[in-house]
């Protein structure tokens, strides 16, 4: 019933910027924490940034000072503003969210399908 759809990936030169968006749709009462993760070929998926319901953020050391996570609860959307991109940022980026579909339901963990970010040198 609940889906997350990412957008905004693409090809960019080193030093450039991209803004990723992820929108949740379906039966949603509330969304708890949301986050962005990434996975490069042959490597483990890693946390990039997370944001709680109250707006508290956490970032991987490798992206601190360059990436900013934010959310718009009215749109059920989380964003990742990526600046000063580096080739090592190249990966498939996935959004994640904990969702309550109604006031009495348990927490549902959902992942988006991913959007590819390629940073050329």
């Amino acid at each position: 019933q609940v889906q997350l759809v990412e957008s905004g990936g693409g090809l960019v030169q080193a030093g450039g910027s991209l803004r990723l968006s992820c929108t949740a749709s379906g039966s949603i009462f509330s969304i708890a924490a949301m986050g962005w993760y990434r996975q490069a070929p042959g490597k483990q998926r890693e946390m990039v940034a997370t944001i709680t319901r109250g707006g508290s953020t956490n970032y991987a050391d490798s992206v601190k000072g360059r990436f900013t996570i934010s959310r718009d609860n009215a749109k059920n959307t989380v964003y990742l503003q990526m600046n000063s991109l580096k080739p090592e940022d190249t990966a498939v980026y996935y959004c994640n969210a904990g969702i309550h579909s109604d006031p009495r339901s348990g927490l549902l963990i959902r992942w988006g399908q991913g959007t590819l970010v390629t940073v050329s040198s």
Side-chain angles (χ1 to χ4, degrees), residues 73-116:
N73 290 331
K75 297 181 178 180
N76 291 329
T77 298
V78 62
Y79 305 95
L80 185 68
Q81 178 66 46
M82 304 185 293
N83 299 326
S84 301
L85 283 161
K86 304 175 181 179
E88 50 262 46
D89 295 318
T90 296
V92 176
Y93 284 70
Y94 300 89
C95 68
N96 167 273
I99 298 171
H100 292 281
S101 60
D102 64 71
R104 303 180 71 177
S105 65
L107 187 66
L108 304 176
I109 307 301
R110 292 288 182 266
W111 290 89
Q113 292 298 118
T115 185
L116 178 62

Side-chain angles (χ1 to χ4, degrees), residues 55-71:
S56 180
T57 59
N58 190 33
Y59 297 92
D61 288 341
S62 60
V63 307
K64 286 181 179 177
R66 300 189 297 121
F67 291 9
T68 302
I69 188 171
S70 61
R71 61 192 289 174

